[in-house]
Amino acid sequence: MLITPAYAQAAGAGDTNSMLMSLLPFALIFVIMYFLILRPQQKKVRDHAELVKNIRRGDTVVTSGGLVGKVTKVVDDDQIEFEISDGVRVRQMRQMISGVRAKGEPAKESSKDSAKDDIAAK
């Protein structure tokens, strides 16, 4: 006999349960990626769009390039004009704003400065 009986038999039909079990790890990886990467990124984009949309005259803004200035004019839906120094005004695309400090928000003091002020007040 040239062919053993094990090779001569026809291949059995694929079990659907084993196919499902082989695809299950890929589905779990996708779900984990969605909750750990995609969903937080979408939330961050929505928050940034809301922040940029609510920029008003008088707000202090920080650009992605590191410039800090006070908004003097909202040009249109895409641009704002802000002053970085006395008489120096810059136009900037709204999407390049990385942070907004609201009107009248005090600058953060370092703990050393506040300790010196406390000693000087006594």
Side-chain angles (χ1 to χ4, degrees), residues 21-117:
M21 292 304 281
S22 66
L23 293 177
L24 187 64
F26 294 112
L28 286 174
I29 289 171
F30 179 75
V31 169
I32 290 170
M33 293 281 286
Y34 175 76
F35 282 107
L36 292 179
I37 296 173
L38 296 175
R39 194 166 174 228
Q41 184 64 27
Q42 290 172 347
K43 184 180 184 304
K44 186 177 177 182
V45 167
R46 274 194 310 266
D47 291 344
H48 183 259
E50 185 69 25
L51 174 107
V52 167
K53 186 176 111 178
N54 292 328
I55 294 176
R56 301 286 179 249
R57 185 172 175 258
D59 290 347
T60 302
V61 295
V62 180
T63 67
S64 58
L67 293 176
V68 178
K70 185 173 250 183
V71 177
T72 57
K73 180 177 166 185
V74 177
V75 178
D76 57 15
D77 290 341
D78 293 331
Q79 293 183 5
I80 63 169
E81 183 177 283
F82 64 98
E83 189 172 45
I84 56 177
S85 181
D86 292 332
V88 180
R89 292 186 178 180
V90 178
R91 276 195 178 187
Q92 181 79 30
M93 298 298 291
R94 280 185 183 237
Q95 294 301 318
M96 298 304 291
I97 301 297
S98 62
V100 176
R101 297 180 186 172
K103 295 180 198 176
E105 182 178 320
K108 294 181 181 178
E109 291 185 25
S110 66
S111 59
K112 293 178 185 176
D113 293 338
S114 61
K116 289 178 184 176
D117 292 340

